[in-house]
Amino acid sequence: MLTINNLHAAVESQEILKGLNLEVKAGEVHAIMGPNGSGKSTLGNVLAGRESYEVTAGEVLLDGKDLLELSPEDRAREGVFLAFQYPVEIPGVSNINFLKTALSEIRAYKGLPPLEARDFLKMVKEKQQLVEFDAKLANRSLNEGFSGGEKKRNEIFQLAMLEPKLAILDETDSGLDIDALRIVASGVNHLRSKDNAFIVITHYQRLLEYIVPDFVHVLYKGRIVRSGTKELALELEEKGYDWIKETVGAENAV
Amino acid sequence: MSTKDDEMLKELALEEYKYGFTTDIEMDIAPKGLSEDTVRLISAKKNEPEWLLEWRLKALRHFMKMDMPAWQNFTLPEIDFQDISYYAAPKAKPKLNSLDEVDPELLSTFEKLGIPLDEQKVLAGVVAVDAVFDSVSVKTTFREKLKEQGVIFCSFGEAVQEHPELVKQYLGSVVPQTDNVYAALNSAVFSDGSFVYIPKGVRCPMELSTYFRINAENTGQFERTLIIADEGAYVSYLEGCTAPMRDENQLHAAVVELIALKDAEIKYSTVQNWYPGDKDGKGGIYNFVTKRGICKGDNSKISWTQVETGSAITWKYPGVILKGDHSVGEFYSVALTRNKQLADTGTKMIHLGKHTRSKIVSKGISAGTSHNSYRGLVKIGPGAEGSRNFTQCDSLLIGDRCGAHTFPYIENRNRTATLEHEATTSKIGEDQLFYLTQRGIDPEKAVGLIVNGYAKEVLNQLPMEFAVEAQKLLAISLEGSVG
């Protein structure tokens, strides 16, 4: 589904990603781990098309289509979803209205008419239950006055509503207590299917106890330096990121 | 600005003003120039009584002595008052009794503007409309139905003929001829406008609305609106305005006076969409308007709501004199400027009565290289025991070449009064836009959503059907303003 070849990207002319390769197939969950500053969030933002991130080399294909050619909104319409690490507040814009607009735009891109109000509300209700999202929050202004946990849960609710092909969770676990983490993870697990894929960006192994990945990659200095299965995450947890830094340093020395 | 933003700005400049068409109709236009003869001509055309002519002449003499104001936050362009025609009316039969007698060209003009003047076409009595084309009112709908309840809704000219006692009693009682230079000019040359009287205890059964249309070239529009709500009466009134696209600037200097007697309530809403000029600031309407209401009786209430998106320069401060004890004044405003537009707007709340309350919510939105100022005065008189004011002024900036300014003035002469003031300035953040586009929403729609969310508190004050219009207008006005 997603193919990343030799991706280089810079922020304010400082190169952050330095030749990243990744292949994600439908039905898979990939975890991206790494120490602070390794380029984890940059990867999410570059895939979603944030303007301040400049791709200097490489290619990204989504089902064979050149993703880097597309505007952020068209990437979203093609099925790329970024669950933000820090979701913003948009006062006065109701959550539901926002979702209705987003869903209609995505459907229009696919040549589908907007959902009938009744069908839309039915879908809202179903998805709210699926990801245990409080109906009261759905009717409030978008993230306005939400707690950190509520904002993260709203990201998962949006994910459920928009049904993307590829979802990137950018440190969705950060700032969550154990109960919220469990709810968020269970939401994601309900949404996993053979047709979609997830990239789970996280600093800690904790989230991966709840969302079990098919593959784990370690990002360090803008490159994937280790790939493995879920056991790699446990090994990292045990040995710490210094282990990566040392081994990668040693490899480079040779 | 990135190149993407530049492209968007170019697109925005090309965005057509939807109401910029002109109507080709035979007109009766007064020669350019301002003198006692001009005033006499207008007064004679309208068959006015002697006292009104004298009233106009007094205003003119005063105007001639006045200097142009210099306190505003923009450079006031030189206006040649001798180069304007002060009266322009479609040539028509002297008196219109039914719709059949209205020129079909005029009907189709208002139809095109979305203002049906055919009562049959309006859904069961939603809104009664007075349509003003250049200097004259062409049609007032639903008059008969309103008359059943004693409500008078007619053009100002007709009110002078049919209800001279009411006009004489209240004209200039809130905005004196000498109030300011443009009020003086209006008092001298005003041509038409709307008149409303709601009798004691009557709740006006429908929204009343005036639609102002400037069409003729080289003319100014100087209308006068007078609304009187007698004891215990209620009325909700809306005005809308558009003008053709022309390279010359045109002057619109209106005066609106509202009078609320004991226990009465007047709700006055404006959706102002005069031609704003092109991207280089060429053309557009100078909108210099004096609007003021008086809460004359105890427990009365006046509420101004305005959505200002048009005009090259907007200069207006709808205010309320809170004379009656326990009276309430409100001002809700959204002012959007883009390209080279200038807006200097706000309100005056003059607290005189005991336990009077006022609330001010102002939301400025600036884009392009426009400048948007809030200017407000809250004055608490010595007798205004226990009065309260709450003021909230927010500014939203789109891009980094526009300006937002706030000039709040407070004069408090009573220790028991409570005043609160809040102000914020924010920018539509790249992060907010990215958040919405990442969900598949088109960037322009995203800006529209953010701005409408920001302005929601004010839009919520508008009557339902107009709130929808205003939301669309804000979104259209912003098309292409952000990348």
Side-chain angles (χ1 to χ4, degrees), chain A residues 76-77 80 82 105 155 158, chain B residues 432 435 438-440 442 445:
Chain A
R77 294 162 185 169
V80 175
L82 176 64
E105 296 255 311
E155 295 293 290
Q158 292 173 29
Chain B
Q432 282 182 327
Y435 191 86
Q438 209 299 307
R439 298 300 186 247
D442 179 81
K445 266 194 196 157

Side-chain angles (χ1 to χ4, degrees), chain B residues 252-272:
Chain B
H252 172 253
V255 171
V256 176
E257 295 179 283
L258 310 182
I259 295 114
L261 302 183
K262 190 167 174 287
D263 299 320
E265 180 176 349
I266 302 174
K267 198 172 153 59
Y268 193 105
S269 313
T270 303
V271 176
Q272 186 265 106

Side-chain angles (χ1 to χ4, degrees), chain A residues 131-144:
Chain A
V131 300
E132 298 176 55
F133 191 69
D134 191 338
K136 275 191 216 113
L137 293 176
N139 288 315
R140 283 200 0 216
S141 283
L142 185 48
N143 291 331
E144 193 184 12

